[in-house]
Amino acid sequence: MPRFAAFQFVLLLAGCSSLMIAGLGRAHAQIETVELVEAAEMPALEQRQGPNIVVVLADDAAFTDFGAYGGEIATPTIDGLAARGVQFTNFHASPLCAPSRAMLLTGLDSHEAGLASLTTIIPPEFEGEPGYRGHLEAGVRTVASRLKDIGYQTYAAGKWHLGGEPEHLPPAHGFDRSFVINATGGDHYSERAHVPIDAKTQWIQDGTNVSIPSDFYSSKDLIDRMIEYINEGQTDEHPFFAYIGFLAPHYPLQAPAENIEPYLERYQDGWDRLREERWRRARELGVIPDDAPLANFVPAGRRWVELTPAEQANYAKRMAVYAGMIDSLDEQIGRLVTHLDNKGLLDDTVFIIASDNGPESGDDESNAVFRFWAWSQGYSFDTNRLGRPGTFSTIGPEWASAVASPHSLFKGYTSEGGTRVPLVIAGPGISSGVTSKAFSFITDITPTILDLANAPFDRDALTGRSLSPVLLGVEERIYGDLDPVGLELAGNAALFRGSYKIVRNQPPGSDGEWRLFNIDDDPGETRDLSFAKPMLFQDMLSDYGVYARTMGVRALPEGYDPNQAAVERAIPSILRALWWIPALAVALILACAMAVWWFVLRPFVKNLLSSRAQ
């Protein structure tokens, strides 16, 4: 039975990870009412200086992972922030990490920013070309550099993934202090690599390689580092901008035991039950329409009853660890909220919470080559130990389909399951307790932050639009019915316009054909309207052509398979990591040869020569 094996392996090699933010766990965080000031194009907040701004990006968190969106995982900090701010239910990102991070931090389309795709999956002929350089293009400015110009203190902690050379790291892009990795992810407890690409996870502080402490856990230490930066740099005259790129819940699935324990019995009924439970709760909460159909189950996915008891126990434990990672992430954000509250900074701080893409579907524990490599790195796959330091697991495509519920597919695909993610914004002057159905895109975050900070910028120079009108209650949406927003990554593509979306996904998840959906009524993309609305379909295809030409989208060479290319590019790294195996084999062969000579051939030759001499 096909199991998405190649594609899962690719995403394990090039998976991108993610970040969650959250917020105000106390009633102390009252939302202040402010008046609008005159502005040339967009309303701004009236205040003597801009607010502090905290952006938290989860790595691979699904649309319904947070309680406010219908999830069963305990996220009281994030849910509290959602209740005190604006919760967006139609927010979209790229289906992979680096393009999303580039768009979030620059306000530009990923092709303009320089990270149209991951370097592990682009064709060799694209390497070094504009849009496909694997780092931010020269001259591209981040929101941090713009905020620094107007007096902000700027900090980054966590996953960077926008270039690893000194000229591409955070210090070169406007961050005063930083503690980051430039990889797709990493072990949450150590510097052990999580994919056979790098020898280890290299942490970089302020542009210099550093080691991590022995008691390191990613979610906790990122908040520790951010608190340290805020304490050292905070002044009454200068607000701060904090970008926190959590590694959670990106694989390898690892979390403190106390965060896993509440979920050990929760997932015994399997993924079929969970995807329906989340679908129902999302409807009850108004996150999706009450009559929205549930997306089709992942192609070739197994039903829970098809698994053996041992397999069920293994997968239930994997999902419990995944839940524990999100539980821990929310807990750590709560620590930051409490710290800001104690310092009297909370009422002047805006929080922005999002995820970089949908959930990871990899299940490479079943891949013998990957499993052997992981074993060589010291990873354990033992069910009873999952989640502890030194263990490795992923949730697999079936759980990914469940946590992406009610949407179709997951990370890597431009379907809603790969691109529609949570977004919560709350803080001074922002409307409270609002659920917004307005379409929004990850390029909108930078112009929104600049508006909130009263920073001057050329709106026409950015791809995204400010969400300020929605946040301030002035408008219900920022995109009109005829405003197209395009997206492309490794041949998978989409274009949004009003209530409609055209989408194309390559194998193994789909067949490479374009389809049309009304994602307001049918967020699960269950009813293709391309034949029912042919004129609209053709018009949106034309819009996508304009987008592709404008942004410099390059069509993949005929027959090129990004999945296979990523696997092939990983082989040299795997061989380097496993160099000792052929060396050991040669040593064993030589040892055997010596033993045969000494114990068999040497006595025989000696006897032969002795008999002839007689």
Side-chain angles (χ1 to χ4, degrees), residues 353-378:
I353 308 168
S355 177
D356 63 347
N357 45 245
E360 169 67 59
S361 64
D363 191 10
D364 279 15
E365 290 89 327
S366 60
N367 183 291
V369 175
F370 180 86
R371 193 178 180 95
F372 187 74
W373 171 85
W375 171 81
S376 75
Q377 302 303 302

PDB file of all heavy atoms in Angstrom, residues 353-378:
ATOM      1  N   ILE A 353       0.387  35.726  17.368  1.00  0.00           N
ATOM      2  CA  ILE A 353       0.606  34.275  17.424  1.00  0.00           C
ATOM      3  C   ILE A 353       0.255  33.659  16.078  1.00  0.00           C
ATOM      4  O   ILE A 353      -0.814  33.919  15.546  1.00  0.00           O
ATOM      5  CB  ILE A 353      -0.299  33.607  18.467  1.00  0.00           C
ATOM      6  CG1 ILE A 353      -0.181  34.298  19.799  1.00  0.00           C
ATOM      7  CG2 ILE A 353       0.008  32.132  18.594  1.00  0.00           C
ATOM      8  CD1 ILE A 353      -1.259  33.871  20.773  1.00  0.00           C
ATOM      9  N   ALA A 354       1.123  32.823  15.555  1.00  0.00           N
ATOM     10  CA  ALA A 354       0.827  32.157  14.277  1.00  0.00           C
ATOM     11  C   ALA A 354       1.640  30.874  14.182  1.00  0.00           C
ATOM     12  O   ALA A 354       2.445  30.556  15.055  1.00  0.00           O
ATOM     13  CB  ALA A 354       1.144  33.084  13.099  1.00  0.00           C
ATOM     14  N   SER A 355       1.410  30.133  13.115  1.00  0.00           N
ATOM     15  CA  SER A 355       2.200  28.949  12.777  1.00  0.00           C
ATOM     16  C   SER A 355       2.738  29.140  11.375  1.00  0.00           C
ATOM     17  O   SER A 355       2.117  29.819  10.547  1.00  0.00           O
ATOM     18  CB  SER A 355       1.350  27.680  12.856  1.00  0.00           C
ATOM     19  OG  SER A 355       2.091  26.541  12.457  1.00  0.00           O
ATOM     20  N   ASP A 356       3.899  28.554  11.086  1.00  0.00           N
ATOM     21  CA  ASP A 356       4.526  28.774   9.779  1.00  0.00           C
ATOM     22  C   ASP A 356       3.895  27.958   8.664  1.00  0.00           C
ATOM     23  O   ASP A 356       4.024  28.307   7.492  1.00  0.00           O
ATOM     24  CB  ASP A 356       6.032  28.506   9.845  1.00  0.00           C
ATOM     25  CG  ASP A 356       6.375  27.068  10.202  1.00  0.00           C
ATOM     26  OD1 ASP A 356       5.481  26.317  10.637  1.00  0.00           O
ATOM     27  OD2 ASP A 356       7.558  26.690  10.065  1.00  0.00           O
ATOM     28  N   ASN A 357       3.225  26.866   8.991  1.00  0.00           N
ATOM     29  CA  ASN A 357       2.558  26.024   7.987  1.00  0.00           C
ATOM     30  C   ASN A 357       1.747  24.982   8.733  1.00  0.00           C
ATOM     31  O   ASN A 357       1.715  24.964   9.969  1.00  0.00           O
ATOM     32  CB  ASN A 357       3.564  25.357   7.041  1.00  0.00           C
ATOM     33  CG  ASN A 357       4.763  24.747   7.730  1.00  0.00           C
ATOM     34  OD1 ASN A 357       5.893  25.193   7.540  1.00  0.00           O
ATOM     35  ND2 ASN A 357       4.539  23.729   8.554  1.00  0.00           N
ATOM     36  N   GLY A 358       1.098  24.104   7.989  1.00  0.00           N
ATOM     37  CA  GLY A 358       0.312  23.046   8.612  1.00  0.00           C
ATOM     38  C   GLY A 358       1.180  21.956   9.204  1.00  0.00           C
ATOM     39  O   GLY A 358       2.412  22.037   9.206  1.00  0.00           O
ATOM     40  N   PRO A 359       0.560  20.894   9.713  1.00  0.00           N
ATOM     41  CA  PRO A 359       1.290  19.855  10.446  1.00  0.00           C
ATOM     42  C   PRO A 359       2.160  18.974   9.554  1.00  0.00           C
ATOM     43  O   PRO A 359       1.823  18.694   8.408  1.00  0.00           O
ATOM     44  CB  PRO A 359       0.166  19.029  11.079  1.00  0.00           C
ATOM     45  CG  PRO A 359      -0.997  19.204  10.138  1.00  0.00           C
ATOM     46  CD  PRO A 359      -0.896  20.624   9.670  1.00  0.00           C
ATOM     47  N   GLU A 360       3.278  18.538  10.113  1.00  0.00           N
ATOM     48  CA  GLU A 360       4.214  17.638   9.436  1.00  0.00           C
ATOM     49  C   GLU A 360       3.614  16.245   9.304  1.00  0.00           C
ATOM     50  O   GLU A 360       3.022  15.720  10.253  1.00  0.00           O
ATOM     51  CB  GLU A 360       5.505  17.570  10.254  1.00  0.00           C
ATOM     52  CG  GLU A 360       6.471  16.499   9.834  1.00  0.00           C
ATOM     53  CD  GLU A 360       7.047  16.757   8.463  1.00  0.00           C
ATOM     54  OE1 GLU A 360       7.668  17.811   8.271  1.00  0.00           O
ATOM     55  OE2 GLU A 360       6.864  15.898   7.589  1.00  0.00           O
ATOM     56  N   SER A 361       3.780  15.633   8.129  1.00  0.00           N
ATOM     57  CA  SER A 361       3.185  14.320   7.885  1.00  0.00           C
ATOM     58  C   SER A 361       4.202  13.197   7.830  1.00  0.00           C
ATOM     59  O   SER A 361       3.849  12.054   7.556  1.00  0.00           O
ATOM     60  CB  SER A 361       2.420  14.336   6.558  1.00  0.00           C
ATOM     61  OG  SER A 361       3.314  14.547   5.472  1.00  0.00           O
ATOM     62  N   GLY A 362       5.453  13.503   8.069  1.00  0.00           N
ATOM     63  CA  GLY A 362       6.491  12.494   7.928  1.00  0.00           C
ATOM     64  C   GLY A 362       6.287  11.307   8.860  1.00  0.00           C
ATOM     65  O   GLY A 362       5.784  11.444   9.968  1.00  0.00           O
ATOM     66  N   ASP A 363       6.687  10.144   8.408  1.00  0.00           N
ATOM     67  CA  ASP A 363       6.600   8.919   9.209  1.00  0.00           C
ATOM     68  C   ASP A 363       7.790   8.037   8.851  1.00  0.00           C
ATOM     69  O   ASP A 363       7.655   6.865   8.527  1.00  0.00           O
ATOM     70  CB  ASP A 363       5.283   8.188   8.923  1.00  0.00           C
ATOM     71  CG  ASP A 363       5.018   7.065   9.919  1.00  0.00           C
ATOM     72  OD1 ASP A 363       5.752   6.982  10.928  1.00  0.00           O
ATOM     73  OD2 ASP A 363       4.091   6.279   9.689  1.00  0.00           O
ATOM     74  N   ASP A 364       8.981   8.626   8.919  1.00  0.00           N
ATOM     75  CA  ASP A 364      10.149   7.915   8.414  1.00  0.00           C
ATOM     76  C   ASP A 364      10.717   6.893   9.369  1.00  0.00           C
ATOM     77  O   ASP A 364      11.750   6.283   9.093  1.00  0.00           O
ATOM     78  CB  ASP A 364      11.216   8.912   8.008  1.00  0.00           C
ATOM     79  CG  ASP A 364      10.931   9.462   6.631  1.00  0.00           C
ATOM     80  OD1 ASP A 364       9.811   9.284   6.155  1.00  0.00           O
ATOM     81  OD2 ASP A 364      11.825  10.055   6.022  1.00  0.00           O
ATOM     82  N   GLU A 365      10.048   6.680  10.505  1.00  0.00           N
ATOM     83  CA  GLU A 365      10.436   5.544  11.329  1.00  0.00           C
ATOM     84  C   GLU A 365      10.300   4.243  10.551  1.00  0.00           C
ATOM     85  O   GLU A 365      10.962   3.245  10.858  1.00  0.00           O
ATOM     86  CB  GLU A 365       9.562   5.473  12.595  1.00  0.00           C
ATOM     87  CG  GLU A 365       9.820   6.580  13.591  1.00  0.00           C
ATOM     88  CD  GLU A 365       8.979   7.813  13.334  1.00  0.00           C
ATOM     89  OE1 GLU A 365       8.678   8.130  12.173  1.00  0.00           O
ATOM     90  OE2 GLU A 365       8.614   8.485  14.304  1.00  0.00           O
ATOM     91  N   SER A 366       9.443   4.258   9.531  1.00  0.00           N
ATOM     92  CA  SER A 366       9.253   3.051   8.719  1.00  0.00           C
ATOM     93  C   SER A 366      10.262   2.942   7.587  1.00  0.00           C
ATOM     94  O   SER A 366      10.293   1.939   6.881  1.00  0.00           O
ATOM     95  CB  SER A 366       7.831   3.054   8.123  1.00  0.00           C
ATOM     96  OG  SER A 366       7.632   4.198   7.302  1.00  0.00           O
ATOM     97  N   ASN A 367      11.100   3.968   7.414  1.00  0.00           N
ATOM     98  CA  ASN A 367      12.116   3.956   6.366  1.00  0.00           C
ATOM     99  C   ASN A 367      13.398   3.366   6.935  1.00  0.00           C
ATOM    100  O   ASN A 367      14.002   3.918   7.853  1.00  0.00           O
ATOM    101  CB  ASN A 367      12.353   5.379   5.858  1.00  0.00           C
ATOM    102  CG  ASN A 367      13.348   5.429   4.715  1.00  0.00           C
ATOM    103  OD1 ASN A 367      14.531   5.175   4.913  1.00  0.00           O
ATOM    104  ND2 ASN A 367      12.867   5.761   3.537  1.00  0.00           N
ATOM    105  N   ALA A 368      13.827   2.227   6.396  1.00  0.00           N
ATOM    106  CA  ALA A 368      14.954   1.491   6.973  1.00  0.00           C
ATOM    107  C   ALA A 368      16.242   2.301   6.945  1.00  0.00           C
ATOM    108  O   ALA A 368      17.019   2.289   7.918  1.00  0.00           O
ATOM    109  CB  ALA A 368      15.144   0.171   6.225  1.00  0.00           C
ATOM    110  N   VAL A 369      16.491   3.037   5.846  1.00  0.00           N
ATOM    111  CA  VAL A 369      17.723   3.820   5.748  1.00  0.00           C
ATOM    112  C   VAL A 369      17.733   4.930   6.782  1.00  0.00           C
ATOM    113  O   VAL A 369      18.718   5.132   7.504  1.00  0.00           O
ATOM    114  CB  VAL A 369      17.881   4.400   4.328  1.00  0.00           C
ATOM    115  CG1 VAL A 369      19.103   5.329   4.267  1.00  0.00           C
ATOM    116  CG2 VAL A 369      18.010   3.281   3.308  1.00  0.00           C
ATOM    117  N   PHE A 370      16.615   5.657   6.861  1.00  0.00           N
ATOM    118  CA  PHE A 370      16.546   6.741   7.845  1.00  0.00           C
ATOM    119  C   PHE A 370      16.644   6.188   9.267  1.00  0.00           C
ATOM    120  O   PHE A 370      17.329   6.756  10.117  1.00  0.00           O
ATOM    121  CB  PHE A 370      15.251   7.534   7.690  1.00  0.00           C
ATOM    122  CG  PHE A 370      15.141   8.660   8.677  1.00  0.00           C
ATOM    123  CD1 PHE A 370      15.703   9.895   8.409  1.00  0.00           C
ATOM    124  CD2 PHE A 370      14.496   8.471   9.893  1.00  0.00           C
ATOM    125  CE1 PHE A 370      15.631  10.927   9.335  1.00  0.00           C
ATOM    126  CE2 PHE A 370      14.409   9.492  10.829  1.00  0.00           C
ATOM    127  CZ  PHE A 370      14.985  10.724  10.548  1.00  0.00           C
ATOM    128  N   ARG A 371      15.958   5.105   9.510  1.00  0.00           N
ATOM    129  CA  ARG A 371      15.965   4.519  10.849  1.00  0.00           C
ATOM    130  C   ARG A 371      17.387   4.102  11.260  1.00  0.00           C
ATOM    131  O   ARG A 371      17.798   4.309  12.407  1.00  0.00           O
ATOM    132  CB  ARG A 371      15.020   3.314  10.885  1.00  0.00           C
ATOM    133  CG  ARG A 371      14.688   2.812  12.282  1.00  0.00           C
ATOM    134  CD  ARG A 371      13.713   1.651  12.199  1.00  0.00           C
ATOM    135  NE  ARG A 371      13.379   1.144  13.513  1.00  0.00           N
ATOM    136  CZ  ARG A 371      12.319   1.513  14.223  1.00  0.00           C
ATOM    137  NH1 ARG A 371      11.484   2.430  13.733  1.00  0.00           N
ATOM    138  NH2 ARG A 371      12.094   0.998  15.420  1.00  0.00           N
ATOM    139  N   PHE A 372      18.131   3.556  10.306  1.00  0.00           N
ATOM    140  CA  PHE A 372      19.501   3.158  10.612  1.00  0.00           C
ATOM    141  C   PHE A 372      20.366   4.380  10.895  1.00  0.00           C
ATOM    142  O   PHE A 372      21.187   4.374  11.822  1.00  0.00           O
ATOM    143  CB  PHE A 372      20.089   2.341   9.463  1.00  0.00           C
ATOM    144  CG  PHE A 372      21.435   1.757   9.773  1.00  0.00           C
ATOM    145  CD1 PHE A 372      21.551   0.677  10.623  1.00  0.00           C
ATOM    146  CD2 PHE A 372      22.585   2.310   9.219  1.00  0.00           C
ATOM    147  CE1 PHE A 372      22.801   0.135  10.927  1.00  0.00           C
ATOM    148  CE2 PHE A 372      23.831   1.788   9.513  1.00  0.00           C
ATOM    149  CZ  PHE A 372      23.936   0.692  10.366  1.00  0.00           C
ATOM    150  N   TRP A 373      20.180   5.444  10.083  1.00  0.00           N
ATOM    151  CA  TRP A 373      20.928   6.677  10.341  1.00  0.00           C
ATOM    152  C   TRP A 373      20.596   7.215  11.734  1.00  0.00           C
ATOM    153  O   TRP A 373      21.507   7.594  12.486  1.00  0.00           O
ATOM    154  CB  TRP A 373      20.586   7.737   9.289  1.00  0.00           C
ATOM    155  CG  TRP A 373      21.172   9.077   9.644  1.00  0.00           C
ATOM    156  CD1 TRP A 373      22.431   9.517   9.371  1.00  0.00           C
ATOM    157  CD2 TRP A 373      20.526  10.120  10.393  1.00  0.00           C
ATOM    158  NE1 TRP A 373      22.617  10.774   9.904  1.00  0.00           N
ATOM    159  CE2 TRP A 373      21.467  11.167  10.527  1.00  0.00           C
ATOM    160  CE3 TRP A 373      19.260  10.272  10.950  1.00  0.00           C
ATOM    161  CZ2 TRP A 373      21.160  12.358  11.200  1.00  0.00           C
ATOM    162  CZ3 TRP A 373      18.956  11.439  11.625  1.00  0.00           C
ATOM    163  CH2 TRP A 373      19.895  12.467  11.748  1.00  0.00           C
ATOM    164  N   ALA A 374      19.303   7.263  12.073  1.00  0.00           N
ATOM    165  CA  ALA A 374      18.900   7.786  13.377  1.00  0.00           C
ATOM    166  C   ALA A 374      19.508   6.947  14.507  1.00  0.00           C
ATOM    167  O   ALA A 374      19.955   7.486  15.526  1.00  0.00           O
ATOM    168  CB  ALA A 374      17.378   7.818  13.489  1.00  0.00           C
ATOM    169  N   TRP A 375      19.519   5.633  14.325  1.00  0.00           N
ATOM    170  CA  TRP A 375      20.129   4.759  15.327  1.00  0.00           C
ATOM    171  C   TRP A 375      21.606   5.088  15.489  1.00  0.00           C
ATOM    172  O   TRP A 375      22.132   5.105  16.606  1.00  0.00           O
ATOM    173  CB  TRP A 375      19.939   3.307  14.919  1.00  0.00           C
ATOM    174  CG  TRP A 375      20.723   2.346  15.771  1.00  0.00           C
ATOM    175  CD1 TRP A 375      20.400   1.858  17.003  1.00  0.00           C
ATOM    176  CD2 TRP A 375      22.009   1.788  15.448  1.00  0.00           C
ATOM    177  NE1 TRP A 375      21.387   1.015  17.468  1.00  0.00           N
ATOM    178  CE2 TRP A 375      22.393   0.970  16.530  1.00  0.00           C
ATOM    179  CE3 TRP A 375      22.858   1.909  14.352  1.00  0.00           C
ATOM    180  CZ2 TRP A 375      23.598   0.272  16.546  1.00  0.00           C
ATOM    181  CZ3 TRP A 375      24.067   1.216  14.361  1.00  0.00           C
ATOM    182  CH2 TRP A 375      24.410   0.401  15.452  1.00  0.00           C
ATOM    183  N   SER A 376      22.272   5.373  14.365  1.00  0.00           N
ATOM    184  CA  SER A 376      23.701   5.693  14.421  1.00  0.00           C
ATOM    185  C   SER A 376      23.961   6.999  15.154  1.00  0.00           C
ATOM    186  O   SER A 376      25.064   7.219  15.666  1.00  0.00           O
ATOM    187  CB  SER A 376      24.289   5.777  13.008  1.00  0.00           C
ATOM    188  OG  SER A 376      23.899   6.981  12.360  1.00  0.00           O
ATOM    189  N   GLN A 377      22.948   7.866  15.227  1.00  0.00           N
ATOM    190  CA  GLN A 377      23.080   9.129  15.943  1.00  0.00           C
ATOM    191  C   GLN A 377      22.684   9.017  17.405  1.00  0.00           C
ATOM    192  O   GLN A 377      22.720   9.998  18.148  1.00  0.00           O
ATOM    193  CB  GLN A 377      22.215  10.199  15.266  1.00  0.00           C
ATOM    194  CG  GLN A 377      22.533  10.438  13.803  1.00  0.00           C
ATOM    195  CD  GLN A 377      23.978  10.817  13.577  1.00  0.00           C
ATOM    196  OE1 GLN A 377      24.455  11.806  14.132  1.00  0.00           O
ATOM    197  NE2 GLN A 377      24.682  10.039  12.768  1.00  0.00           N
ATOM    198  N   GLY A 378      22.272   7.817  17.806  1.00  0.00           N
ATOM    199  CA  GLY A 378      21.910   7.610  19.201  1.00  0.00           C
ATOM    200  C   GLY A 378      20.447   7.767  19.511  1.00  0.00           C
ATOM    201  O   GLY A 378      20.051   7.786  20.686  1.00  0.00           O
TER     202      GLY A 378
END
